[in-house]
């Protein structure tokens, strides 16, 4: 934790819901409760630049959702229902008051779920770049998320059926992200090839068990000391329990 965040009165803690242990950071009680929910593959550190400022007027909580940061992993159990149980326990036992809930990306979807299912815990919600999109077929084919999911399915199939670095790199090469309303950008080759090689290398060392690869980024705030940004989790080809053969996306 950064010194200025500690100095502002923030503490990192663990909460046992009885089902999972959740990691969270709590600031001083300077106002209404505000819960910050990071995006998928992110942890509480993603909010570190705004914590001190927000803590001047709010009682800030930042939660690592199950499977993220230092919270427990629950493979194959990351549904709205299970995460909702976590949030209900956390809000009733730790926050204990109706709160302003702000969520980034998938964290915003969780905020929407809380507002709909736990109204007694919700003062207001703030949605930060939330992927609220139509899932109706065939309309979803016009949505950016369709292409993201399609690429994900292709990568999972390559992981299941092949050990080729080249094929995995080709799957990563298809990933695109929007940079404006009418432009997308692909991952550069200097990322896709090392990433594919690293995954294959770790797979060769494993014996079928689930393995994790930590990724790091340089962060100026941390004086160029790398810190964990996200973790890829997978199993060796042919052993994963994620099946894509019968998915709607593949049929169409």
């Amino acid at each position: 934790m950064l010194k200025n965040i500690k100095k502002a009165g923030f503490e990192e803690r663990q909460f046992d819901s009885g089902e999972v242990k959740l990691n969270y950071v709590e600031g001083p009680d300077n106002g209404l409760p505000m819960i910050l929910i990071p995006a998928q593959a992110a942890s509480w550190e993603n909010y570190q630049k705004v914590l001190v400022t927000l803590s001047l007027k709010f009682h800030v909580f930042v939660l690592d959702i199950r499977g993220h940061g230092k919270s427990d992993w629950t493979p194959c159990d990351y549904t709205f229902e299970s995460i909702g149980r976590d949030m209900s326990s956390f809000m009733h036992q730790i926050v204990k008051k109706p709160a302003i809930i702000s969520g980034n990306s998938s964290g915003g979807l969780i905020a929407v779920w809380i507002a709909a299912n736990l109204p007694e815990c919700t003062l207001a919600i703030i949605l930060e770049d939330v992927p609220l999109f139509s899932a109706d077929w065939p309309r979803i084919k016009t949505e950016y998320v369709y292409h993201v999911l399609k690429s994900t399915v292709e990568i999972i199939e390559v992981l299941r059926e092949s050990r080729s670095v080249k094929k995995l790199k080709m799957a990563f090469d298809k990933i695109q992200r929007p940079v404006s309303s009418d432009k997308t950008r692909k991952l550069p080759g200097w990322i896709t090839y090392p990433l594919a090689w690293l995954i294959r290398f770790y797979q060769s060392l494993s014996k079928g068990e689930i393995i994790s690869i930590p990724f790091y980024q340089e962060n100026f705030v941390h004086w160029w000391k790398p810190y964990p940004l996200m973790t890829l989790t997978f199993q060796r080809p042919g052993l994963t329990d994620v099946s894509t053969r019968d998915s709607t996306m593949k049929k169409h």
Side-chain angles (χ1 to χ4, degrees):
M1 184 181 293
L2 295 178
K3 290 183 179 179
N4 66 323
I5 296 177
K6 275 189 175 182
K7 188 176 180 180
F10 281 87
E11 295 183 10
E12 190 168 9
R13 298 170 177 165
Q14 296 276 323
F15 164 65
D16 190 341
S17 71
E19 184 176 350
V20 292
K21 289 183 180 179
L22 300 174
N23 188 68
Y24 71 99
V25 169
E26 180 180 355
D29 187 352
N30 288 334
L32 293 173
M34 174 178 282
I35 300 173
L36 306 177
I37 307 175
Q40 188 172 349
S43 60
W44 73 264
E45 286 93 344
N46 276 46
Y47 280 106
Q48 59 191 354
K49 291 184 179 180
V50 299
L51 291 182
V52 175
T53 301
L54 290 175
S55 70
L56 298 177
K57 294 185 178 181
F58 299 98
H59 186 183
V60 179
F61 300 83
V62 196
L63 184 68
D64 285 341
I65 298 299
R66 61 166 66 195
H68 294 69
K70 297 177 183 177
S71 292
D72 283 350
W73 288 22
T74 55
C76 301
D77 188 15
Y78 297 105
T79 64
F80 276 120
E81 288 74 19
S82 58
I83 294 174
R85 291 194 300 272
D86 298 343
M87 296 306 303
S88 179
S89 297
F90 181 77
M91 297 182 75
H92 282 103
Q93 298 180 45
I94 300 298
V95 182
K96 298 180 180 179
K97 296 179 181 179
I100 300 168
I101 305 161
S102 181
N104 174 225
S105 191
S106 61
L109 295 178
I110 296 171
V112 171
W113 188 96
I114 293 170
N117 294 275
L118 301 171
E120 74 280 5
C121 297
T122 310
L123 285 177
I125 60 173
I126 301 171
L127 305 181
E128 311 167 43
D129 194 21
V130 178
L132 294 171
F133 54 85
S134 171
D136 293 331
W137 190 269
R139 181 180 172 185
I140 192 174
K141 294 183 70 174
T142 65
E143 302 279 354
Y144 165 70
V145 70
Y146 169 80
H147 302 287
V148 174
L149 295 175
K150 186 173 183 293
S151 297
T152 302
V153 169
E154 292 173 353
I155 290 171
I156 291 173
E157 288 205 331
V158 171
L159 285 170
R160 292 179 71 250
E161 299 174 358
S162 170
R163 296 189 182 185
S164 167
V165 173
K166 182 178 179 180
K167 287 184 178 180
L168 185 55
K169 177 189 180 300
M170 290 172 63
F172 283 130
D173 285 339
K174 295 179 181 179
I175 296 176
Q176 300 183 45
R177 60 173 298 179
V179 293
S180 68
S181 60
D182 59 351
K183 292 183 180 180
T184 59
R185 179 177 296 166
K186 292 185 177 182
L187 290 172
W190 61 268
I191 289 179
T192 58
Y193 181 81
L195 181 59
W197 183 90
L198 187 62
I199 289 174
R200 292 308 188 199
F201 174 73
Y202 272 76
Q203 283 182 314
S204 68
L205 297 180
S206 74
K207 296 181 180 180
E209 70 273 13
I210 295 176
I211 58 176
S212 303
I213 300 178
F215 282 79
Y216 299 87
Q217 73 172 12
E218 300 294 345
N219 188 298
F220 287 100
V221 180
H222 278 255
W223 298 95
W224 289 91
K225 293 180 181 179
Y227 70 94
L229 176 63
M230 67 177 186
T231 304
L232 291 184
T233 305
F234 54 87
Q235 291 177 306
R236 289 182 63 182
L239 296 174
T240 179
D241 56 5
V242 179
S243 175
T244 59
R245 293 184 183 278
D246 298 323
S247 68
T248 300
M249 192 172 297
K250 290 298 292 181
K251 288 181 180 179
H252 293 275

